[in-house]
Amino acid sequence: TVFRYLLLGVPNLGTGLQVLDLGAGTGYFLVVCRHFGHHVLGIDVSDEPLYNECFEYFGLPRVEHRIEPMQPLPEFANRFDLITAFMTCFNWHEDLRPWGAEPWRFFLKEIRDRLTERGQAVFKLNLNPKTGEYYSAEVRRTIRGCGFFKSRFFLDYVFLTAS
């Protein structure tokens, strides 16, 4: 988790950042961010007891929310400098089909609306076992063409910078 913090270059973004982690799991990434002086918030569902206990143990703030295709994210009191999602599961339909262009377009707009002017988002996607891809060509085109992010792709990571 410290490696992920350093890999993403969070120390170069400044101090006191507002950080939102989608599908925060145990909250380990948020613990590291908070340790280095950032303000953190996690989003996740509450149906995993271990995740609930970890958030309680670490004293991390969390919003209980399930990310669904074409459904808005919760409203927050502030915007975020960094939004992350590692080993995402939310971008799959219940029948294990990955999201297509429209759900991604909607989701990216939701993310952009919650970022600061120069905010960044980073997603680490899971491998599609049927295709062996992290994201389809259609999803890559959708992300690149959304117009309100500069995007970079590296293996299973998608890096977005507000533009």
Side-chain angles (χ1 to χ4, degrees):
T1 303
V2 173
F3 173 74
R4 186 172 284 156
Y5 178 85
L6 296 172
L7 175 73
L8 299 182
V10 179
N12 301 330
L13 300 177
T15 57
L17 300 177
Q18 297 286 334
V19 178
L20 175 65
D21 191 21
L22 308 176
T26 58
Y28 294 149
F29 182 74
L30 295 176
V31 169
V32 171
C33 289
R34 184 178 64 187
H35 174 79
F36 287 106
H38 304 296
H39 309 281
V40 301
L41 178 64
I43 290 182
D44 212 331
V45 294
S46 62
D47 54 3
E48 177 54 57
L50 176 63
Y51 297 171
N52 299 338
E53 291 174 19
C54 285
F55 261 77
E56 184 177 329
Y57 178 78
F58 294 126
L60 294 169
R62 178 174 73 171
V63 172
E64 293 180 18
H65 178 80
R66 181 176 303 278
I67 298 171
E68 299 279 354
M70 309 301 288
Q71 297 298 313
L73 292 171
E75 293 296 327
F76 301 102
N78 57 284
R79 291 182 178 248
F80 297 92
D81 302 296
L82 178 63
I83 297 177
T84 58
F86 302 110
M87 298 176 66
T88 61
C89 296
F90 62 79
N91 60 312
W92 296 82
H93 296 281
E94 287 184 22
D95 64 2
L96 298 181
R97 285 179 302 113
W99 286 1
E102 285 308 309
W104 269 106
R105 195 172 288 114
F106 183 93
F107 177 71
L108 292 170
K109 177 75 169 89
E110 289 290 303
I111 294 298
R112 180 60 190 104
D113 289 347
R114 283 150 183 83
L115 282 172
T116 59
E117 184 179 324
R118 300 200 194 287
Q120 297 183 20
V122 179
F123 306 129
K124 183 180 188 310
L125 304 176
N126 282 323
L127 186 67
N128 181 331
K130 292 180 182 177
T131 65
E133 300 173 316
Y134 293 108
Y135 36 81
S136 67
E138 173 192 36
V139 168
R140 181 187 284 254
R141 280 192 304 275
T142 300
I143 292 171
R144 288 216 169 159
C146 72
F148 36 82
F149 285 114
K150 294 178 187 169
S151 59
R152 292 180 295 127
F153 296 81
F154 180 72
L155 299 174
D156 51 345
Y157 283 91
V158 178
F159 299 89
L160 304 169
T161 303
S163 58

